[in-house]
PDB file of all heavy atoms in Angstrom:
ATOM      1  N   GLY A 664     -38.830 -20.076  99.240  1.00 92.00           N
ATOM      2  CA  GLY A 664     -38.083 -20.886 100.281  1.00 92.00           C
ATOM      3  C   GLY A 664     -36.890 -21.650  99.718  1.00 92.00           C
ATOM      4  O   GLY A 664     -35.825 -21.612 100.301  1.00 92.00           O
ATOM      5  N   SER A 667     -33.981 -19.381  98.766  1.00 90.00           N
ATOM      6  CA  SER A 667     -33.093 -18.927  99.804  1.00 90.00           C
ATOM      7  C   SER A 667     -32.416 -20.155 100.449  1.00 90.00           C
ATOM      8  O   SER A 667     -31.251 -20.044 100.893  1.00 90.00           O
ATOM      9  CB  SER A 667     -33.858 -18.192 100.742  1.00 90.00           C
ATOM     10  OG  SER A 667     -35.168 -18.587 101.049  1.00 90.00           O
ATOM     11  N   GLY A 668     -33.041 -21.290 100.434  1.00 89.00           N
ATOM     12  CA  GLY A 668     -32.489 -22.495 100.966  1.00 89.00           C
ATOM     13  C   GLY A 668     -31.208 -22.847 100.273  1.00 89.00           C
ATOM     14  O   GLY A 668     -30.190 -23.229 100.686  1.00 89.00           O
ATOM     15  N   TYR A 669     -31.318 -22.746  98.865  1.00 87.00           N
ATOM     16  CA  TYR A 669     -30.170 -23.027  97.976  1.00 87.00           C
ATOM     17  C   TYR A 669     -29.016 -22.067  98.322  1.00 87.00           C
ATOM     18  O   TYR A 669     -27.916 -22.420  98.424  1.00 87.00           O
ATOM     19  CB  TYR A 669     -30.647 -22.933  96.545  1.00 87.00           C
ATOM     20  CG  TYR A 669     -29.585 -23.515  95.551  1.00 87.00           C
ATOM     21  CD1 TYR A 669     -29.525 -24.872  95.396  1.00 87.00           C
ATOM     22  CD2 TYR A 669     -28.807 -22.656  94.876  1.00 87.00           C
ATOM     23  CE1 TYR A 669     -28.619 -25.477  94.491  1.00 87.00           C
ATOM     24  CE2 TYR A 669     -27.863 -23.192  94.051  1.00 87.00           C
ATOM     25  CZ  TYR A 669     -27.698 -24.555  93.816  1.00 87.00           C
ATOM     26  OH  TYR A 669     -26.819 -25.156  92.976  1.00 87.00           O
ATOM     27  N   MET A 671     -28.506 -20.473 100.972  1.00 87.00           N
ATOM     28  CA  MET A 671     -27.924 -20.705 102.380  1.00 87.00           C
ATOM     29  C   MET A 671     -26.997 -22.038 102.312  1.00 87.00           C
ATOM     30  O   MET A 671     -26.016 -22.093 103.047  1.00 87.00           O
ATOM     31  CB  MET A 671     -29.051 -20.909 103.300  1.00 87.00           C
ATOM     32  CG  MET A 671     -29.972 -19.887 103.588  1.00 87.00           C
ATOM     33  SD  MET A 671     -29.198 -18.403 104.275  1.00 87.00           S
ATOM     34  CE  MET A 671     -29.065 -18.901 105.945  1.00 87.00           C
ATOM     35  N   ALA A 672     -27.258 -22.928 101.368  1.00 86.00           N
ATOM     36  CA  ALA A 672     -26.575 -24.202 101.452  1.00 86.00           C
ATOM     37  C   ALA A 672     -25.298 -23.989 100.553  1.00 86.00           C
ATOM     38  O   ALA A 672     -24.187 -24.656 100.845  1.00 86.00           O
ATOM     39  CB  ALA A 672     -27.470 -25.245 100.964  1.00 86.00           C
ATOM     40  N   THR A 729     -39.413 -23.751 104.710  1.00 90.00           N
ATOM     41  CA  THR A 729     -38.870 -24.430 103.559  1.00 90.00           C
ATOM     42  C   THR A 729     -37.367 -24.164 103.287  1.00 90.00           C
ATOM     43  O   THR A 729     -36.551 -25.074 103.002  1.00 90.00           O
ATOM     44  CB  THR A 729     -39.584 -23.910 102.342  1.00 90.00           C
ATOM     45  OG1 THR A 729     -40.973 -24.065 102.500  1.00 90.00           O
ATOM     46  CG2 THR A 729     -39.221 -24.689 101.097  1.00 90.00           C
ATOM     47  N   SER A 730     -36.980 -22.919 103.543  1.00 90.00           N
ATOM     48  CA  SER A 730     -35.479 -22.684 103.319  1.00 90.00           C
ATOM     49  C   SER A 730     -34.701 -23.466 104.367  1.00 90.00           C
ATOM     50  O   SER A 730     -33.683 -23.915 104.009  1.00 90.00           O
ATOM     51  CB  SER A 730     -35.084 -21.160 103.274  1.00 90.00           C
ATOM     52  OG  SER A 730     -35.925 -20.453 104.335  1.00 90.00           O
ATOM     53  N   TRP A 731     -35.244 -23.660 105.464  1.00 84.00           N
ATOM     54  CA  TRP A 731     -34.620 -24.375 106.560  1.00 84.00           C
ATOM     55  C   TRP A 731     -34.434 -25.779 106.088  1.00 84.00           C
ATOM     56  O   TRP A 731     -33.414 -26.472 106.098  1.00 84.00           O
ATOM     57  CB  TRP A 731     -35.481 -24.265 107.801  1.00 84.00           C
ATOM     58  CG  TRP A 731     -34.944 -24.694 109.125  1.00 84.00           C
ATOM     59  CD1 TRP A 731     -33.635 -25.125 109.364  1.00 84.00           C
ATOM     60  CD2 TRP A 731     -35.597 -24.791 110.287  1.00 84.00           C
ATOM     61  NE1 TRP A 731     -33.552 -25.467 110.532  1.00 84.00           N
ATOM     62  CE2 TRP A 731     -34.803 -25.268 111.149  1.00 84.00           C
ATOM     63  CE3 TRP A 731     -36.958 -24.575 110.622  1.00 84.00           C
ATOM     64  CZ2 TRP A 731     -35.158 -25.534 112.556  1.00 84.00           C
ATOM     65  CZ3 TRP A 731     -37.261 -24.724 111.932  1.00 84.00           C
ATOM     66  CH2 TRP A 731     -36.447 -25.121 112.858  1.00 84.00           C
ATOM     67  N   ILE A 732     -35.567 -26.417 105.741  1.00 84.00           N
ATOM     68  CA  ILE A 732     -35.584 -27.734 105.313  1.00 84.00           C
ATOM     69  C   ILE A 732     -34.736 -28.088 104.049  1.00 84.00           C
ATOM     70  O   ILE A 732     -33.937 -28.973 103.874  1.00 84.00           O
ATOM     71  CB  ILE A 732     -37.034 -28.319 105.052  1.00 84.00           C
ATOM     72  CG1 ILE A 732     -37.848 -28.259 106.304  1.00 84.00           C
ATOM     73  CG2 ILE A 732     -37.075 -29.676 104.463  1.00 84.00           C
ATOM     74  CD1 ILE A 732     -39.254 -28.706 106.222  1.00 84.00           C
ATOM     75  N   THR A 733     -34.921 -27.149 103.054  1.00 86.00           N
ATOM     76  CA  THR A 733     -34.287 -27.444 101.763  1.00 86.00           C
ATOM     77  C   THR A 733     -32.922 -27.256 101.903  1.00 86.00           C
ATOM     78  O   THR A 733     -31.978 -27.864 101.259  1.00 86.00           O
ATOM     79  CB  THR A 733     -34.844 -26.523 100.602  1.00 86.00           C
ATOM     80  OG1 THR A 733     -34.803 -25.175 101.026  1.00 86.00           O
ATOM     81  CG2 THR A 733     -36.183 -26.980 100.175  1.00 86.00           C
ATOM     82  N   SER A 734     -32.372 -26.238 102.625  1.00 86.00           N
ATOM     83  CA  SER A 734     -30.928 -25.922 102.774  1.00 86.00           C
ATOM     84  C   SER A 734     -30.225 -27.182 103.329  1.00 86.00           C
ATOM     85  O   SER A 734     -29.222 -27.557 102.990  1.00 86.00           O
ATOM     86  CB  SER A 734     -30.600 -24.798 103.630  1.00 86.00           C
ATOM     87  OG  SER A 734     -30.740 -25.049 105.017  1.00 86.00           O
ATOM     88  N   SER A 735     -30.859 -27.881 104.289  1.00 80.00           N
ATOM     89  CA  SER A 735     -30.184 -29.009 104.825  1.00 80.00           C
ATOM     90  C   SER A 735     -30.146 -30.214 103.900  1.00 80.00           C
ATOM     91  O   SER A 735     -29.178 -30.942 103.868  1.00 80.00           O
ATOM     92  CB  SER A 735     -31.065 -29.581 106.093  1.00 80.00           C
ATOM     93  OG  SER A 735     -32.249 -30.088 105.667  1.00 80.00           O
ATOM     94  N   ILE A 736     -31.033 -30.151 102.851  1.00 81.00           N
ATOM     95  CA  ILE A 736     -30.972 -31.213 101.785  1.00 81.00           C
ATOM     96  C   ILE A 736     -30.000 -30.872 100.765  1.00 81.00           C
ATOM     97  O   ILE A 736     -29.148 -31.703 100.297  1.00 81.00           O
ATOM     98  CB  ILE A 736     -32.382 -31.460 101.121  1.00 81.00           C
ATOM     99  CG1 ILE A 736     -33.301 -32.098 102.116  1.00 81.00           C
ATOM    100  CG2 ILE A 736     -32.268 -32.129  99.812  1.00 81.00           C
ATOM    101  CD1 ILE A 736     -33.045 -33.570 102.201  1.00 81.00           C
ATOM    102  N   PHE A 737     -29.957 -29.586 100.394  1.00 83.00           N
ATOM    103  CA  PHE A 737     -29.055 -29.169  99.487  1.00 83.00           C
ATOM    104  C   PHE A 737     -27.515 -29.322  99.829  1.00 83.00           C
ATOM    105  O   PHE A 737     -26.669 -29.596  99.086  1.00 83.00           O
ATOM    106  CB  PHE A 737     -29.133 -27.713  99.066  1.00 83.00           C
ATOM    107  CG  PHE A 737     -30.467 -27.433  98.116  1.00 83.00           C
ATOM    108  CD1 PHE A 737     -31.420 -26.400  98.460  1.00 83.00           C
ATOM    109  CD2 PHE A 737     -30.576 -28.204  96.965  1.00 83.00           C
ATOM    110  CE1 PHE A 737     -32.509 -26.276  97.556  1.00 83.00           C
ATOM    111  CE2 PHE A 737     -31.732 -28.056  96.168  1.00 83.00           C
ATOM    112  CZ  PHE A 737     -32.682 -27.037  96.482  1.00 83.00           C
ATOM    113  N   ILE A 738     -27.353 -29.122 101.110  1.00 82.00           N
ATOM    114  CA  ILE A 738     -25.996 -29.421 101.684  1.00 82.00           C
ATOM    115  C   ILE A 738     -25.677 -30.823 101.499  1.00 82.00           C
ATOM    116  O   ILE A 738     -24.523 -31.051 101.151  1.00 82.00           O
ATOM    117  CB  ILE A 738     -26.037 -29.089 103.150  1.00 82.00           C
ATOM    118  CG1 ILE A 738     -26.018 -27.595 103.450  1.00 82.00           C
ATOM    119  CG2 ILE A 738     -24.716 -29.742 103.918  1.00 82.00           C
ATOM    120  CD1 ILE A 738     -26.103 -27.197 104.790  1.00 82.00           C
ATOM    121  N   GLY A 739     -26.642 -31.746 101.539  1.00 77.00           N
ATOM    122  CA  GLY A 739     -26.386 -33.175 101.379  1.00 77.00           C
ATOM    123  C   GLY A 739     -26.198 -33.537  99.934  1.00 77.00           C
ATOM    124  O   GLY A 739     -25.471 -34.495  99.597  1.00 77.00           O
ATOM    125  N   ALA A 770     -37.319 -33.139 100.425  1.00 83.00           N
ATOM    126  CA  ALA A 770     -37.414 -31.750 101.155  1.00 83.00           C
ATOM    127  C   ALA A 770     -38.586 -30.909 100.664  1.00 83.00           C
ATOM    128  O   ALA A 770     -39.390 -30.362 101.466  1.00 83.00           O
ATOM    129  CB  ALA A 770     -36.191 -30.925 100.931  1.00 83.00           C
TER     130      ALA A 770
ATOM    131  N   LEU B 671     -30.328 -24.513 111.421  1.00 41.00           N
ATOM    132  CA  LEU B 671     -30.379 -24.261 110.005  1.00 41.00           C
ATOM    133  C   LEU B 671     -29.538 -25.118 109.153  1.00 41.00           C
ATOM    134  O   LEU B 671     -29.756 -25.298 108.062  1.00 41.00           O
ATOM    135  CB  LEU B 671     -30.136 -22.777 109.670  1.00 41.00           C
ATOM    136  CG  LEU B 671     -30.696 -22.468 108.389  1.00 41.00           C
ATOM    137  CD1 LEU B 671     -32.187 -22.009 108.479  1.00 41.00           C
ATOM    138  CD2 LEU B 671     -29.827 -21.423 107.771  1.00 41.00           C
ATOM    139  N   ASP B 672     -28.427 -25.513 109.769  1.00 40.00           N
ATOM    140  CA  ASP B 672     -27.602 -26.381 109.012  1.00 40.00           C
ATOM    141  C   ASP B 672     -28.308 -27.812 108.964  1.00 40.00           C
ATOM    142  O   ASP B 672     -27.606 -28.810 108.724  1.00 40.00           O
ATOM    143  CB  ASP B 672     -26.173 -26.532 109.658  1.00 40.00           C
ATOM    144  CG  ASP B 672     -25.577 -25.116 109.546  1.00 40.00           C
ATOM    145  OD1 ASP B 672     -25.860 -24.427 108.584  1.00 40.00           O
ATOM    146  OD2 ASP B 672     -24.925 -24.788 110.479  1.00 40.00           O
ATOM    147  N   GLY B 673     -29.503 -27.771 109.181  1.00 40.00           N
ATOM    148  CA  GLY B 673     -30.313 -28.987 109.157  1.00 40.00           C
ATOM    149  C   GLY B 673     -30.391 -29.767 110.448  1.00 40.00           C
ATOM    150  O   GLY B 673     -31.206 -30.769 110.472  1.00 40.00           O
TER     151      GLY B 673
END
Side-chain angles (χ1 to χ4, degrees):
Chain A
S667 41
Y669 192 80
M671 299 295 283
T729 308
S730 37
W731 192 8
I732 295 177
T733 48
S734 80
S735 72
I736 286 284
F737 284 133
I738 286 175
Chain B
L671 196 88
D672 299 325

